[in-house]
Short mmCIF file of all heavy atoms in Angstrom, two decimals:
data_model
loop_
_atom_site.label_atom_id
_atom_site.label_comp_id
_atom_site.label_asym_id
_atom_site.label_seq_id
_atom_site.Cartn_x
_atom_site.Cartn_y
_atom_site.Cartn_z
N LEU A 1 -28.45 -37.77 -32.83
CA LEU A 1 -29.08 -36.83 -33.76
C LEU A 1 -29.32 -35.48 -33.10
O LEU A 1 -29.07 -34.43 -33.70
CB LEU A 1 -30.39 -37.41 -34.29
CG LEU A 1 -30.26 -38.55 -35.29
CD1 LEU A 1 -31.64 -39.16 -35.60
CD2 LEU A 1 -29.58 -38.08 -36.56
N LEU A 2 -29.80 -35.50 -31.86
CA LEU A 2 -30.00 -34.24 -31.14
C LEU A 2 -28.67 -33.55 -30.86
O LEU A 2 -28.57 -32.32 -30.97
CB LEU A 2 -30.75 -34.48 -29.84
CG LEU A 2 -32.24 -34.77 -29.98
CD1 LEU A 2 -32.85 -35.07 -28.62
CD2 LEU A 2 -32.95 -33.64 -30.65
N LEU A 3 -27.67 -34.31 -30.51
CA LEU A 3 -26.34 -33.74 -30.28
C LEU A 3 -25.80 -33.11 -31.55
O LEU A 3 -25.25 -32.00 -31.53
CB LEU A 3 -25.38 -34.81 -29.75
CG LEU A 3 -23.97 -34.33 -29.43
CD1 LEU A 3 -24.00 -33.36 -28.24
CD2 LEU A 3 -23.08 -35.52 -29.11
N ALA A 4 -25.98 -33.79 -32.69
CA ALA A 4 -25.52 -33.25 -33.96
C ALA A 4 -26.25 -31.95 -34.29
O ALA A 4 -25.63 -30.98 -34.76
CB ALA A 4 -25.73 -34.27 -35.07
N GLN A 5 -27.56 -31.91 -34.04
CA GLN A 5 -28.31 -30.69 -34.30
C GLN A 5 -27.80 -29.55 -33.42
O GLN A 5 -27.66 -28.41 -33.88
CB GLN A 5 -29.80 -30.91 -34.06
CG GLN A 5 -30.64 -29.69 -34.38
CD GLN A 5 -31.68 -29.38 -33.35
OE1 GLN A 5 -31.90 -30.14 -32.42
NE2 GLN A 5 -32.33 -28.24 -33.51
N MET A 6 -27.50 -29.86 -32.18
CA MET A 6 -27.01 -28.82 -31.26
C MET A 6 -25.63 -28.31 -31.69
O MET A 6 -25.37 -27.10 -31.68
CB MET A 6 -26.96 -29.36 -29.84
CG MET A 6 -28.34 -29.66 -29.29
SD MET A 6 -28.26 -30.38 -27.68
CE MET A 6 -28.43 -28.90 -26.70
N VAL A 7 -24.75 -29.21 -32.06
CA VAL A 7 -23.40 -28.82 -32.47
C VAL A 7 -23.46 -27.98 -33.74
O VAL A 7 -22.84 -26.92 -33.84
CB VAL A 7 -22.51 -30.07 -32.66
CG1 VAL A 7 -21.22 -29.73 -33.38
CG2 VAL A 7 -22.22 -30.72 -31.32
N VAL A 8 -24.24 -28.44 -34.72
CA VAL A 8 -24.37 -27.70 -35.99
C VAL A 8 -25.00 -26.34 -35.75
O VAL A 8 -24.57 -25.33 -36.32
CB VAL A 8 -25.18 -28.52 -37.02
CG1 VAL A 8 -25.58 -27.68 -38.21
CG2 VAL A 8 -24.38 -29.74 -37.47
N GLY A 9 -26.01 -26.29 -34.87
CA GLY A 9 -26.67 -25.02 -34.58
C GLY A 9 -25.76 -24.03 -33.87
O GLY A 9 -25.74 -22.85 -34.20
N HIS A 10 -25.01 -24.49 -32.90
CA HIS A 10 -24.16 -23.59 -32.12
C HIS A 10 -22.88 -23.19 -32.86
O HIS A 10 -22.41 -22.06 -32.71
CB HIS A 10 -23.81 -24.20 -30.76
CG HIS A 10 -24.93 -24.11 -29.78
ND1 HIS A 10 -25.35 -22.92 -29.24
CD2 HIS A 10 -25.73 -25.07 -29.25
CE1 HIS A 10 -26.36 -23.14 -28.42
NE2 HIS A 10 -26.61 -24.44 -28.41
N LEU A 11 -22.32 -24.10 -33.59
CA LEU A 11 -21.09 -23.78 -34.32
C LEU A 11 -21.36 -23.13 -35.68
O LEU A 11 -20.43 -22.79 -36.39
CB LEU A 11 -20.23 -25.04 -34.51
CG LEU A 11 -19.71 -25.70 -33.22
CD1 LEU A 11 -18.90 -26.93 -33.55
CD2 LEU A 11 -18.89 -24.71 -32.41
N LYS A 12 -22.65 -23.01 -36.02
CA LYS A 12 -23.08 -22.37 -37.28
C LYS A 12 -22.40 -23.01 -38.49
O LYS A 12 -21.92 -22.32 -39.38
CB LYS A 12 -22.84 -20.87 -37.21
CG LYS A 12 -23.63 -20.22 -36.10
CD LYS A 12 -23.34 -18.76 -35.98
CE LYS A 12 -24.16 -18.25 -34.80
NZ LYS A 12 -23.63 -17.10 -34.18
N LEU A 13 -22.37 -24.34 -38.48
CA LEU A 13 -21.79 -25.07 -39.60
C LEU A 13 -22.70 -25.02 -40.83
O LEU A 13 -22.22 -25.14 -41.95
CB LEU A 13 -21.53 -26.52 -39.20
CG LEU A 13 -20.55 -26.72 -38.04
CD1 LEU A 13 -20.47 -28.19 -37.66
CD2 LEU A 13 -19.18 -26.18 -38.39
N LEU A 14 -23.99 -24.87 -40.60
CA LEU A 14 -24.97 -24.70 -41.68
C LEU A 14 -25.80 -23.46 -41.38
O LEU A 14 -25.94 -23.07 -40.21
CB LEU A 14 -25.89 -25.93 -41.77
CG LEU A 14 -25.25 -27.24 -42.21
CD1 LEU A 14 -26.24 -28.39 -42.09
CD2 LEU A 14 -24.76 -27.14 -43.65
N PRO A 15 -26.38 -22.83 -42.40
CA PRO A 15 -27.21 -21.65 -42.14
C PRO A 15 -28.42 -22.02 -41.26
O PRO A 15 -28.89 -23.15 -41.25
CB PRO A 15 -27.69 -21.22 -43.54
CG PRO A 15 -26.90 -22.01 -44.51
CD PRO A 15 -26.26 -23.15 -43.81
N HIS A 16 -28.93 -21.02 -40.53
CA HIS A 16 -30.04 -21.25 -39.61
C HIS A 16 -31.34 -21.62 -40.33
O HIS A 16 -32.24 -22.17 -39.71
CB HIS A 16 -30.27 -20.03 -38.70
CG HIS A 16 -29.25 -19.93 -37.62
ND1 HIS A 16 -29.15 -20.83 -36.60
CD2 HIS A 16 -28.24 -19.03 -37.42
CE1 HIS A 16 -28.15 -20.50 -35.80
NE2 HIS A 16 -27.58 -19.41 -36.28
N ASP A 17 -31.43 -21.32 -41.62
CA ASP A 17 -32.64 -21.74 -42.33
C ASP A 17 -32.60 -23.23 -42.67
O ASP A 17 -33.62 -23.81 -43.03
CB ASP A 17 -32.86 -20.90 -43.60
CG ASP A 17 -31.70 -21.01 -44.59
OD1 ASP A 17 -30.60 -21.39 -44.17
OD2 ASP A 17 -31.92 -20.69 -45.77
N GLN A 18 -31.45 -23.87 -42.51
CA GLN A 18 -31.37 -25.32 -42.72
C GLN A 18 -31.43 -26.07 -41.39
O GLN A 18 -32.08 -27.11 -41.31
CB GLN A 18 -30.09 -25.69 -43.46
CG GLN A 18 -30.15 -25.37 -44.93
CD GLN A 18 -28.98 -25.98 -45.67
OE1 GLN A 18 -27.93 -26.26 -45.08
NE2 GLN A 18 -29.15 -26.20 -46.96
N VAL A 19 -30.72 -25.60 -40.39
CA VAL A 19 -30.74 -26.24 -39.07
C VAL A 19 -30.95 -25.16 -38.01
O VAL A 19 -30.10 -24.30 -37.81
CB VAL A 19 -29.43 -27.01 -38.79
CG1 VAL A 19 -29.45 -27.61 -37.39
CG2 VAL A 19 -29.22 -28.10 -39.81
N ALA A 20 -32.10 -25.24 -37.35
CA ALA A 20 -32.46 -24.24 -36.35
C ALA A 20 -31.67 -24.45 -35.06
O ALA A 20 -31.15 -25.54 -34.80
CB ALA A 20 -33.96 -24.33 -36.05
N MET A 21 -31.63 -23.41 -34.26
CA MET A 21 -31.03 -23.52 -32.93
C MET A 21 -31.88 -24.47 -32.10
O MET A 21 -33.10 -24.56 -32.29
CB MET A 21 -30.97 -22.15 -32.26
CG MET A 21 -29.91 -21.23 -32.86
SD MET A 21 -28.24 -21.85 -32.68
CE MET A 21 -27.97 -21.61 -30.95
N PRO A 22 -31.28 -25.18 -31.17
CA PRO A 22 -32.04 -26.15 -30.37
C PRO A 22 -33.04 -25.48 -29.43
O PRO A 22 -32.86 -24.33 -29.02
CB PRO A 22 -30.97 -26.88 -29.57
CG PRO A 22 -29.70 -26.23 -29.84
CD PRO A 22 -29.87 -25.19 -30.88
N TYR A 23 -34.08 -26.22 -29.12
CA TYR A 23 -35.04 -25.77 -28.11
C TYR A 23 -34.42 -25.98 -26.73
O TYR A 23 -33.47 -26.74 -26.57
CB TYR A 23 -36.34 -26.58 -28.22
CG TYR A 23 -37.14 -26.25 -29.45
CD1 TYR A 23 -37.11 -27.08 -30.57
CD2 TYR A 23 -37.95 -25.12 -29.50
CE1 TYR A 23 -37.85 -26.79 -31.69
CE2 TYR A 23 -38.70 -24.82 -30.63
CZ TYR A 23 -38.64 -25.66 -31.73
OH TYR A 23 -39.38 -25.36 -32.84
N GLN A 24 -34.99 -25.34 -25.72
CA GLN A 24 -34.43 -25.40 -24.37
C GLN A 24 -34.46 -26.81 -23.77
O GLN A 24 -33.59 -27.18 -23.00
CB GLN A 24 -35.18 -24.43 -23.45
CG GLN A 24 -34.95 -22.98 -23.79
CD GLN A 24 -33.48 -22.59 -23.67
OE1 GLN A 24 -32.83 -22.94 -22.69
NE2 GLN A 24 -32.96 -21.90 -24.66
N TRP A 25 -35.45 -27.61 -24.11
CA TRP A 25 -35.58 -28.94 -23.51
C TRP A 25 -34.48 -29.89 -23.97
O TRP A 25 -34.22 -30.90 -23.32
CB TRP A 25 -36.95 -29.55 -23.81
CG TRP A 25 -37.19 -29.87 -25.25
CD1 TRP A 25 -37.74 -29.05 -26.19
CD2 TRP A 25 -36.87 -31.09 -25.92
NE1 TRP A 25 -37.80 -29.68 -27.39
CE2 TRP A 25 -37.26 -30.94 -27.26
CE3 TRP A 25 -36.29 -32.29 -25.53
CZ2 TRP A 25 -37.10 -31.94 -28.21
CZ3 TRP A 25 -36.13 -33.30 -26.48
CH2 TRP A 25 -36.54 -33.11 -27.79
N GLU A 26 -33.85 -29.57 -25.08
CA GLU A 26 -32.83 -30.47 -25.62
C GLU A 26 -31.57 -30.51 -24.76
O GLU A 26 -30.86 -31.51 -24.74
CB GLU A 26 -32.48 -30.07 -27.06
CG GLU A 26 -33.65 -30.24 -28.02
CD GLU A 26 -33.31 -29.81 -29.42
OE1 GLU A 26 -32.35 -30.39 -30.00
OE2 GLU A 26 -33.96 -28.89 -29.93
N TYR A 27 -31.29 -29.43 -24.05
CA TYR A 27 -30.09 -29.39 -23.21
C TYR A 27 -30.16 -30.38 -22.04
O TYR A 27 -29.24 -31.18 -21.87
CB TYR A 27 -29.82 -27.96 -22.73
CG TYR A 27 -29.56 -27.00 -23.87
CD1 TYR A 27 -30.53 -26.10 -24.27
CD2 TYR A 27 -28.35 -27.02 -24.55
CE1 TYR A 27 -30.30 -25.22 -25.32
CE2 TYR A 27 -28.11 -26.16 -25.61
CZ TYR A 27 -29.09 -25.26 -25.99
OH TYR A 27 -28.87 -24.41 -27.03
N PRO A 28 -31.23 -30.36 -21.24
CA PRO A 28 -31.28 -31.38 -20.17
C PRO A 28 -31.46 -32.79 -20.70
O PRO A 28 -31.05 -33.75 -20.05
CB PRO A 28 -32.46 -30.96 -19.29
CG PRO A 28 -33.25 -30.02 -20.10
CD PRO A 28 -32.32 -29.39 -21.10
N TYR A 29 -32.03 -32.91 -21.91
CA TYR A 29 -32.20 -34.25 -22.48
C TYR A 29 -30.85 -34.90 -22.79
O TYR A 29 -30.75 -36.13 -22.82
CB TYR A 29 -33.06 -34.20 -23.74
CG TYR A 29 -33.38 -35.57 -24.28
CD1 TYR A 29 -34.36 -36.35 -23.69
CD2 TYR A 29 -32.69 -36.10 -25.36
CE1 TYR A 29 -34.65 -37.62 -24.16
CE2 TYR A 29 -32.96 -37.36 -25.84
CZ TYR A 29 -33.94 -38.12 -25.23
OH TYR A 29 -34.21 -39.39 -25.69
#
């Protein structure tokens, strides 16, 4: 789920008002 949020956020597959960019802690997680 976190990976999907990161991919959707970075590839801008959905608008940012639907899926926010990931927080910094998500990358090392």
Side-chain angles (χ1 to χ4, degrees):
L1 287 172
L2 286 177
L3 182 66
Q5 183 224 353
M6 294 176 94
V7 167
V8 168
H10 282 292
L11 297 180
K12 298 177 182 155
L13 299 175
L14 293 173
H16 284 293
D17 60 340
Q18 284 190 336
V19 177
M21 287 298 288
Y23 290 101
Q24 292 299 314
W25 67 269
E26 295 178 59
Y27 298 104
Y29 186 77

